[in-house]
Amino acid sequence: DVKVTQSSRYLVKRTGEKVFLECVQDMDHENMFWYRQDPGLGLRLIYFSYDVKMKEKGDIPEGYSVSREKKERFSLILESASTNQTSMYLCASSLPVDSGNTIYFGEGSWLTVV
Amino acid sequence: AQKVTQAQTEISVVEKEDVTLDCVYETRDTTYYLFWYKQPPSGELVFLIRRNSFDEQNEISGRYSWNFQKSTSSFNFTITASQVVDSAVYFCALKTTSGTYKYIFGTGTRLKVLA
């Protein structure tokens, strides 16, 4: 079974703090994703990575950065957290996307910025 | 443009009722893939099914069934004899092969199954 693990399920951070959300997958998938989920807005893609050190901006990259130093690990970074970044964050991974491969999600990280 | 529409924001049914969740998609590509995911209150999106555009056979898995109709650009999901454990948010998604890495998700349908 594919396993995508997000290190923190629930976080509370203060405005202006630097926040790291970590994600690890164990299926040797090339691709990894970070999504944000908000009520009524569905899932919005923040960043996508198709290889180590390679990344593409998604639909809402502003205020976020990512790091992929190893194939299995993809980190989402909030350089200076703001209250409008309070949300649920979902990490996912997949085999190459060209063939419409299934993406598998982690359990999600609920972030509250106060 | 590519788009997935789940017009039903929330549905409530009584246990043992059948329920159908609608998904309508838009794409100009001839090759594409459709998915359904279930998101229980715990938060994880659980993969349910993947279907490619060349396979219009309906699929049944236990109490779950999917009806794919290219003529109406729909990929509907039916739960037969619903149970309380089916309560969740269900997402439909589209992936084309036109060079984009993006999976297009609908906004989800919240299903509440009442005992």
Side-chain angles (χ1 to χ4, degrees):
Chain A
D1 281 355
V2 176
K3 187 68 175 177
V4 179
T5 303
Q6 295 183 229
S7 56
S8 304
R9 290 299 312 275
Y10 302 96
L11 306 93
V12 179
K13 298 292 182 180
R14 295 192 180 278
T15 301
E17 274 193 74
K18 191 169 186 176
V19 181
F20 293 86
L21 299 180
E22 307 285 346
C23 176
V24 176
Q25 50 94 4
D26 66 357
M27 286 302 293
D28 201 34
H29 283 171
E30 289 83 353
N31 303 311
M32 297 189 76
F33 308 76
W34 274 107
Y35 287 89
R36 170 175 171 163
Q37 183 180 3
D38 299 288
L41 297 178
L43 278 71
R44 293 181 291 168
L45 181 65
I46 305 172
Y47 268 99
F48 163 68
S49 170
Y50 54 91
D51 202 348
V52 174
K53 298 188 187 293
M54 307 305 289
K55 63 186 179 185
E56 293 280 352
K57 291 181 179 179
D59 299 315
I60 52 164
E62 297 78 18
Y64 303 95
S65 61
V66 290
S67 172
R68 193 164 181 204
E69 297 297 319
K70 293 184 178 181
K71 190 175 185 180
E72 67 272 17
R73 188 179 298 269
F74 192 34
S75 302
L76 179 69
I77 303 156
L78 287 68
E79 296 289 342
S80 177
S82 63
T83 54
N84 63 13
Q85 292 178 309
T86 291
S87 187
M88 169 136 166
Y89 292 88
L90 287 157
C91 178
S93 73
S94 77
L95 291 169
V97 296
D98 293 350
S99 299
N101 282 296
T102 301
I103 57 174
Y104 296 92
F105 287 86
E107 291 183 321
S109 297
W110 297 88
L111 172 66
T112 301
V113 182
V114 298
Chain B
Q2 299 169 18
K3 188 178 179 182
V4 173
T5 301
Q6 294 180 257
Q8 304 152 308
T9 305
E10 185 168 313
I11 302 174
S12 292
V13 298
V14 176
E15 207 171 17
K16 298 184 183 177
E17 283 186 6
D18 298 347
V19 58
T20 295
L21 309 182
D22 298 332
C23 173
V24 174
Y25 62 92
E26 293 177 30
T27 180
R28 292 181 179 175
D29 288 19
T30 55
T31 302
Y32 52 89
Y33 299 83
L34 296 163
F35 305 83
W36 275 96
Y37 289 86
K38 173 183 180 180
Q39 187 179 40
S42 58
E44 179 182 3
L45 265 78
V46 177
F47 165 69
L48 296 177
I49 190 170
R50 169 182 180 262
R51 179 54 56 109
N52 74 56
S53 54
F54 298 107
D55 182 3
E56 286 194 75
Q57 270 196 325
N58 290 333
E59 179 149 344
I60 299 174
S61 176
R63 295 184 297 107
Y64 293 173
S65 62
W66 289 269
N67 181 270
F68 177 29
Q69 291 195 337
K70 287 176 76 170
S71 60
T72 56
S73 297
S74 64
F75 186 43
N76 297 336
F77 173 31
T78 297
I79 303 174
T80 302
S82 60
Q83 299 176 2
V84 173
V85 292
D86 296 327
S87 297
V89 180
Y90 292 86
F91 290 94
C92 180
L94 165 71
K95 174 66 176 70
T96 68
T97 56
S98 58
T100 177
Y101 51 84
K102 292 185 181 180
Y103 290 72
I104 309 300
F105 284 84
T107 51
T109 297
R110 180 178 298 278
L111 174 64
K112 293 184 177 180
V113 182
L114 308 172

